Amino acid sequence: MTTFAVSLVLFGATTAGAAPKPVGEVLTWGTASVAKVPIPDEARSGVTAIAAGFKRNVALKDGRVIQWGVPDSGYPELDRVPVEAWDGVDAIAAGNYHHLALKGGKVIAWGRWLETKVPEEARSGVTAIAAGDGYSLALKNGGVIAWGWEKINQGQMNVPEEAKSGVTAIAAGLNHAMALKKDGSVIAWGANKYGQLNVPKEAMSGVTAIAAGAQHSLALKDGKVIAWGWNLYEQATVPTVAQSGVTAIAAGQLHNVVLKDGKVIVWNYNGQGQMDIPATVKDGGITKISSTFYHILALR
């Protein structure tokens, strides 16, 4: 019999007389070095999107990218959001050592220079972005575009033919990539050491969302989470509580976080406090989640 470690948080209504919770507030927990970095005051309300990176996080507010996290002397260029991303941004993505912004169909990248060389085809008409370890994905006209540091390419930049049309969503893991087709089927390519590419039959139709962890994958179908790949800490074994009613999914290195009926559910590794959901999260309804190696962002 499998035993799961699962963390749940129930959200209740604001008590009478209590001050209303700010809308669009960013919350975080997990890796101490990252989670203890103060969230900028400007990210305390009005934020519409979040993305968790390896040591830094990005948020989107009024079309402007806000960034914070642990400075890294090895990659100081990652600490400077380009002027081009100060307004008019539509979407954001965070990788390990580079970040992306989507502005008017054009991809903007900053961080480690090898990851910031956006190809010409991704400078217009792009509708979605994703960032992994040393590589990026973009969705344009239903087809996936991939680029990055060739030295670390384990196949994730070799887009298969079936992902070059009819795609509606993309996700980037450590060194494997995912795409969701219009028919609800999942495609995966890149590294397969832990079975990241072994898409189960259940995820071949009806899927509505995807998420890529470091070396495992998630899909959402009819409110049920489907998982496969590396299962060292049972991160690819879905607990009963996440098999119905789930509305959003995110994956880290060895853990997953999902939303369900006003609850945040996290499983299964807690080495960096990912399952120690803070009281601030318990205070109100979470609307979006994002996760990376060992920390989690939430938006309410």
Side-chain angles (χ1 to χ4, degrees):
M1 178 177 178
T2 302
T3 300
F4 291 102
V6 178
S7 183
L8 301 179
V9 175
L10 304 183
F11 299 117
T14 302
T15 57
K21 300 300 178 184
V23 176
E25 179 184 14
V26 178
L27 305 166
T28 185
W29 68 99
T31 310
S33 61
V34 180
K36 288 185 178 180
V37 174
I39 295 173
D41 288 342
E42 55 192 338
R44 295 294 182 180
S45 65
V47 171
T48 54
I50 50 176
F54 177 45
K55 291 185 177 181
R56 299 166 182 81
N57 303 305
V58 287
L60 185 60
K61 179 178 181 177
D62 298 327
R64 176 170 54 89
V65 174
I66 302 168
Q67 179 174 292
W68 72 98
V70 180
D72 189 334
S73 59
Y75 304 100
E77 59 272 26
L78 186 50
D79 294 321
R80 297 187 291 270
V81 177
V83 174
E84 198 173 5
W86 287 6
D87 60 61
V89 172
D90 305 305
I92 50 177
N96 283 358
Y97 294 105
H98 75 292
H99 294 161
L100 303 177
L102 182 59
K103 181 177 181 178
K106 176 184 178 181
V107 177
I108 303 165
W110 64 100
R112 189 164 55 182
W113 72 272
L114 287 165
E115 281 92 281
T116 61
K117 293 188 173 181
V118 180
E120 188 60 36
E121 59 185 332
R123 294 180 181 274
S124 65
V126 173
T127 54
I129 50 177
D133 179 25
Y135 77 100
S136 302
L137 301 178
L139 184 60
K140 180 177 181 177
N141 297 327
V144 179
I145 304 167
W147 71 94
W149 189 13
E150 288 295 337
K151 187 176 180 180
I152 54 88
N153 186 9
Q154 296 187 44
Q156 68 269 35
M157 287 180 276
N158 303 330
V159 181
E161 284 301 316
E162 58 266 39
K164 293 181 179 179
S165 64
V167 173
T168 59
I170 50 179
L174 186 67
N175 46 34
H176 76 286
M178 301 173 67
L180 178 61
K181 299 276 283 187
K182 288 180 179 178
D183 62 3
S185 62
V186 176
I187 303 167
W189 66 96
N192 196 36
K193 182 178 180 180
Y194 298 100
Q196 303 95 303
L197 310 189
N198 300 338
V199 180
K201 184 177 180 180
E202 193 175 7
M204 292 296 187
S205 65
V207 171
T208 54
I210 52 176
Q215 293 166 319
H216 72 284
S217 304
L218 301 180
L220 183 60
K221 179 178 180 177
D222 297 327
K224 175 184 178 180
V225 178
I226 304 166
W228 64 97
W230 197 25
N231 201 32
L232 178 65
Y233 288 92
E234 297 185 331
Q235 67 270 32
T237 305
V238 182
T240 301
V241 70
Q243 292 182 18
S244 64
V246 173
T247 56
I249 54 177
Q253 168 118 350
L254 300 168
H255 70 276
N256 301 304
V257 54
V258 304
L259 294 183
K260 176 180 177 178
D261 296 332
K263 304 174 185 178
V264 171
I265 303 169
V266 183
W267 83 91
N268 201 28
Y269 179 73
N270 198 40
Q272 299 289 331
Q274 301 94 311
M275 294 172 61
D276 300 332
I277 302 172
T280 51
V281 175
K282 300 176 184 179
D283 284 344
I286 301 301
T287 60
K288 294 182 181 180
I289 50 175
S290 179
S291 190
T292 183
F293 274 78
Y294 299 120
H295 77 277
I296 299 167
L297 293 182
L299 184 66
R300 70 174 174 203

